[in-house]
Amino acid sequence: MKEKNLRNRVVSGLFWTFGERIITQGTSFVLSIILARLLMPSEYGIVALTFVFINLASVLVSNGIGESLIQKKNTNETDYSTIFYCSFALSVFLYIILFISAPFITKFYENNELLWVLRILALTIPLSSINTIQQAYVSKKMMFKKFFFSNLGGTLVSGLIGITMAYYEYGVWALVAQYIINMVISTIILFFTVKWRPRLLFSLGAAKELISFGWKLVVANLINTFYNELRGLVIGKNYKLSDLAYYNRGNQLPSLIIVNINTAIGKVVFPAMAEVNDDIGRLKIVTRRAMKITAYLTFPFMIGLMSVANSLVSVLLTEKWLAVVPFLQICCIYWLFQPIQTANWQAIKALGRSDLLMNLEVLKKIIGVTMLLISMNINVYAIAVSNAIFAAISMIINMVPNKKLINYSIAEQFLDIAAPLSISVIMGMIIYPISWLNFSSTIILSLQILCGGIIYVAASYIFKLDSYIYLLDTLRKIVKNVIRERFSKARRGENNAKAN
């Protein structure tokens, strides 16, 4: 009964988190495409450079603190309130540091527009800290429907305001307004839809217990984020801001797909893993399922994007963004390795081994920084390629510990992802030559997407891929539950009417 209840909550959670991710992030992507057509690459470069510093500060506020609440078995109001006050105080302190540092950052990068863009966008740090604990509360209770409404509301309103400002030639400030308003609206909606409120409770003991787990995750995530953002710092200093914009835009679509699939699955799977972390057998089953599903969903997207890159950029961003194409293809290779890393990371984290996670991050980033130092003086393409090679090395490093921790070997992991990877590669090889046809970019892109989708689904059906069958079964159960729920409500309504 307990196993069935966990499965039902995971299925429901996957439905709402995937729905939220697909709709809100899909909407956000469409809005960003419209903005890209209205704005210049250099304007995107300014915001991209600014977010390097904001993302680093945000890690200290958001990452690890909320996860410590999810990982702890028995949390109470004192735990939530204590961490809330710690998070908010830290966020205000970090904002002050960024505000004071802004003139020095502006001088270093020799761009006066950075000053107030950084100071205003940095307001997202204290704003994000406000709902960090509420998000942990929602994830802990698996009430993922709440995320759907808060994120969709923020995305729609901020996107429309950003587009309006870009149309009236506000330039970089259209992007600034979009990010700030998105954070404000999503925070307000989540505040009113989640019942939890901070209370006047604080426990030094609770803070020490939760932070003892969380700080190691914070360090691991900080190292990871710093490494990811380091390329932006290097490109922004050594090359043109337009080069940084091309790199970031090339990274945007593959990262959008992988991050949202990983986030959707991670939000559901990590609490499920944490719940069964005292049973290694069940934890391995959950980990394998997470890896298989993410691989099945992400591999065709990454290999497909590599195959359609030229026509996709021409159709969506216009020819002024064609320099994005090689970056898009290289970044697809980088993100191809992420689902395997994430599944292994989540399993280690569920076991409470934040010390191991921190050590793994230190090792990986030493390797990564060495590769960056070698490539940074060659050209911006070499920087991107070195990152893709590093991702493959990181994947192997993350896979190694779980052989001992949950008896999940590297060979077994590769076997679990071999089928979707093989089918995706074949699909990519078939649809790439379509780009040689003498048709418009729109027709070529449409043909490539249609053929790619048919080939992948047909191959999944023919070879009876495990994840394909599992997802179909899950979808059928969701549909049945929705129909049964509506039928039950209708019957109750009829009975109440008769009784009256």
Side-chain angles (χ1 to χ4, degrees):
M1 187 67 184
K2 186 177 180 181
E3 185 76 31
K4 185 178 179 181
N5 182 48
L6 179 61
R7 176 186 168 85
N8 288 339
R9 284 190 291 151
V10 169
V11 168
S12 174
L14 283 172
F15 174 75
W16 281 108
T17 48
F18 267 122
E20 178 259 318
R21 292 279 107 183
I22 290 169
I23 294 175
T24 59
Q25 296 301 315
T27 302
S28 178
F29 179 70
V30 171
L31 294 170
S32 73
I33 292 300
I34 298 172
L35 279 168
R37 296 171 74 97
L38 293 170
L39 300 172
M40 297 303 294
S42 59
E43 292 169 330
Y44 267 91
I46 293 170
V47 172
L49 185 57
T50 300
F51 263 105
V52 170
F53 301 97
I54 293 172
N55 290 340
L56 287 170
S58 295
V59 169
L60 296 172
V61 176
S62 303
N63 294 71
I65 292 177
E67 290 167 334
S68 65
L69 290 168
I70 297 173
Q71 195 271 343
K72 186 180 178 181
K73 288 277 185 188
N74 301 307
T75 51
N76 53 44
E77 289 296 329
T78 301
D79 293 327
Y80 282 103
S81 295
T82 297
I83 295 300
F84 171 81
Y85 294 122
C86 291
S87 175
F88 185 72
L90 178 60
S91 71
V92 172
F93 175 71
L94 291 170
Y95 176 76
I96 292 170
I97 290 177
L98 277 179
F99 189 93
I100 295 171
S101 303
F104 303 101
I105 295 170
T106 298
K107 185 177 180 180
F108 181 77
Y109 284 97
E110 300 174 352
N111 191 307
N112 292 329
E113 285 189 90
L114 281 172
L115 179 62
W116 284 103
V117 170
L118 176 58
R119 284 177 167 176
I120 293 175
L121 275 177
L123 288 169
T124 57
I125 298 169
L127 283 171
S128 65
S129 75
I130 294 172
N131 66 9
T132 293
I133 312 307
Q134 289 176 315
Q135 289 188 27
Y137 184 86
V138 168
S139 296
K140 183 85 171 178
K141 305 295 182 182
M142 291 192 173
M143 303 183 299
F144 298 101
K145 189 189 296 187
K146 308 293 184 182
F147 288 130
F148 182 92
F149 298 107
S150 64
N151 291 339
L152 181 59
T155 299
L156 283 172
V157 176
S158 65
L160 292 174
I161 291 173
I163 289 171
T164 302
M165 291 181 67
Y167 179 79
Y168 285 103
E169 300 182 349
Y170 279 89
V172 69
W173 294 106
L175 293 170
V176 173
Q178 183 199 10
Y179 287 117
I180 291 287
I181 293 169
N182 188 2
M183 179 63 70
V184 170
I185 291 176
S186 61
T187 301
I188 290 172
I189 293 174
L190 196 60
F191 183 81
F192 285 107
T193 55
V194 176
K195 291 182 179 179
W196 181 84
R197 298 287 184 274
R199 298 183 182 181
L200 294 176
L201 299 170
F202 188 88
S203 168
L204 190 58
K208 287 181 178 178
E209 179 186 356
L210 291 164
I211 292 174
S212 67
F213 171 83
W215 80 266
K216 295 167 189 172
L217 278 181
V218 169
V219 172
N221 284 317
L222 183 62
I223 294 170
N224 188 51
T225 302
F226 178 75
Y227 174 79
N228 290 335
E229 301 296 349
L230 187 58
R231 280 169 170 73
L233 292 171
V234 169
I235 295 171
K237 179 62 179 175
N238 296 341
Y239 301 93
K240 295 183 292 187
L241 282 179
S242 57
D243 288 328
L244 179 58
Y246 293 138
Y247 179 85
N248 278 17
R249 180 59 66 174
N251 189 57
Q252 184 187 34
L253 185 53
S255 68
L256 177 75
I257 294 168
I258 301 298
V259 168
N260 283 292
I261 290 176
N262 272 349
T263 300
I265 292 177
K267 278 183 179 179
V268 179
V269 170
F270 176 56
M273 285 178 171
E275 193 166 315
V276 299
N277 62 8
D278 53 352
D279 186 333
I280 299 301
R282 290 175 69 196
L283 180 56
K284 180 182 178 180
I285 291 170
V286 175
T287 303
R288 290 189 68 188
R289 178 58 62 199
M291 182 176 294
K292 286 182 177 182
I293 291 175
T294 50
Y296 180 79
L297 293 173
T298 57
F299 285 173
F301 277 114
M302 293 304 97
I303 294 173
L305 275 176
M306 292 174 67
S307 302
V308 307
N310 198 76
S311 53
L312 181 71
V313 171
S314 296
V315 171
L316 294 183
L317 300 175
T318 71
E319 292 189 358
K320 71 180 179 182
W321 286 93
L322 278 177
V324 165
V325 172
F327 294 112
L328 173 58
Q329 292 171 324
I330 296 168
C331 288
C332 283
I333 298 172
Y334 169 84
W335 286 103
L336 189 71
F337 299 111
Q338 297 310 306
I340 298 93
Q341 286 198 60
T342 302
N344 282 285
W345 174 278
Q346 296 281 18
I348 298 169
K349 186 168 66 176
L351 288 169
R353 292 298 307 275
S354 54
D355 58 326
L356 179 57
L357 293 177
M358 185 174 66
N359 293 335
L360 290 176
E361 285 307 305
V362 171
L363 171 62
K364 289 187 294 184
K365 273 35 182 188
I366 290 173
I367 297 171
V369 170
T370 302
M371 295 178 70
L372 176 59
L373 291 173
I374 294 170
S375 63
M376 65 183 285
N377 292 319
I378 302 174
N379 56 45
V380 71
Y381 301 106
I383 293 174
V385 170
S386 72
N387 200 31
I389 296 170
F390 166 71
I393 297 171
S394 294
M395 177 188 70
I396 301 296
I397 291 173
N398 270 22
M399 294 168 80
V400 172
N402 278 326
K403 164 61 180 172
K404 182 178 180 180
L405 294 175
I406 60 173
N407 195 31
Y408 195 15
S409 67
I410 294 177
E412 194 175 4
Q413 291 186 47
F414 276 124
L415 283 173
D416 282 341
I417 64 173
L421 179 60
S422 301
I423 294 173
S424 298
V425 170
I426 293 169
M427 178 267 292
M429 293 172 64
I430 293 173
I431 66 172
Y432 179 74
I434 295 175
S435 62
W436 301 340
L437 296 175
N438 191 24
F439 296 136
S440 69
S441 296
T442 304
I443 293 175
I444 289 173
L445 180 62
S446 301
L447 287 172
Q448 287 177 313
I449 293 173
L450 179 63
C451 292
I454 291 172
I455 291 167
Y456 192 72
V457 173
S460 300
Y461 174 78
I462 292 168
F463 294 106
K464 295 181 172 56
L465 262 63
D466 176 60
S467 294
Y468 171 77
I469 295 169
Y470 178 84
L471 289 170
L472 276 183
D473 181 53
T474 299
L475 185 61
R476 288 193 195 100
K477 287 180 178 177
I478 290 170
V479 172
K480 283 182 182 178
N481 287 338
V482 170
I483 293 172
R484 189 182 299 116
E485 217 174 279
R486 297 205 169 178
F487 181 74
S488 298
K489 285 182 180 179
R491 289 290 299 270
R492 286 196 299 269
E494 289 177 6
N495 292 335
N496 289 336
K498 288 177 181 178
N500 293 330

